[in-house]
Structure formats: structure tokens, C-alpha cells
Amino acid sequence: MMPLPLLVAASLVATPPSTVAAMRWEKRVLVIGAPDADDPALHDQRRILARWREGAAQRDLVVVEMVGDAVSGASDTAAALRRRLAMPAGRFAVALIGKDGGTKLRGDRPLSSATLAATIDAMPMRVRGGR
């Protein structure tokens, strides 16, 4: 059975076969990259998202994970996403993509729910009363 934080984080992952580009204007996307499934930062980011599930849903946020060469949450390849977002393959990285398709926030450590909420809530579509 899948551990609870992983199960909850997995429920935030978008249903393939959408590409990140196809989610434009519909969803905000948090792309998480890690070299392998044992990466401590990946586990920390999953725990943060598991506790922030409702906040993420209210903000139309979906999660796409790249663990090694495997991608969950989108049909993009890991190589294509890393190239597009300039994310390294050998270490943890995270990028928040707005509904307009632009990269709004990057990090090489897990992003807190407070940071994600503040960044998203300051986005023009959110400020204007949209989701």
C-alpha cells in the first residue's frame, strides 16, 4: 500500500495524457524534478503538498513529477521538460508555471505552501477574482 503522503501527493498529479503546454489557461503546474525516488527533497516537497492539498486545489494547481527519466502527471518526456524549464537532471529542482505558461518561481529546495500560496495569490488572474 502507498504511504499516505505519497498517496495524497499523487492525487494532486494531473491525469495524463495532457502535456504541460496543454494545461495552459486551465491549470497552474508545479513541476518537481528529482534524480531518484529516494531524494530527501522530493519526499519533503510531497509532504508539504500532502498537507496543502485543499489550498492547491483552490488555486487550480496540479503537480507534475520527474523522477529520473519517469514523468507522472503529464505526457511530456523528462528530457523535454528539463530542457524547457532549464531543470537539472542530477539534483532536485522545482518550478511553478502560471496559467499563462510562464515560469513564475524556481527553486532548488522544496517550496513551502506559504510561498506557493503567496506567489499564486499575487498572480494577475488570481487577483482579478479568478481561480
Side-chain angles (χ1 to χ4, degrees):
M1 184 165 177
M2 201 180 295
L4 183 58
L6 182 58
L7 180 63
V8 174
S11 70
L12 293 173
V13 176
T15 305
S18 291
T19 64
V20 170
M23 294 180 211
R24 188 174 185 183
W25 304 118
E26 297 294 321
K27 299 290 182 185
R28 292 176 184 92
V29 183
L30 185 66
V31 180
I32 304 167
D36 57 60
D38 296 326
D39 188 278
L42 173 63
H43 291 282
D44 289 346
Q45 188 70 73
R46 284 175 173 167
R47 276 191 291 277
I48 290 165
L49 293 169
R51 289 191 301 263
W52 192 58
R53 184 172 183 229
E54 187 175 319
Q58 290 171 352
R59 290 166 177 85
D60 291 334
L61 182 71
V62 296
V63 176
V64 173
E65 287 188 1
M66 295 182 296
V67 180
D69 290 330
V71 176
S72 61
S75 60
D76 302 272
T77 66
L81 281 175
R82 284 193 180 97
R83 192 171 36 257
R84 175 180 173 221
L85 299 171
M87 294 176 81
R91 60 185 165 87
F92 180 86
V94 62
L96 175 63
I97 301 169
K99 286 187 176 183
D100 66 356
T103 302
K104 308 302 182 185
L105 185 63
R106 296 176 173 279
D108 58 4
R109 296 185 315 225
L111 297 175
S112 70
S113 57
T115 297
L116 289 166
T119 302
I120 292 169
D121 291 349
M123 292 178 180
M125 288 181 76
R126 184 90 171 143
V127 170
R128 286 192 301 258
R131 290 182 53 111

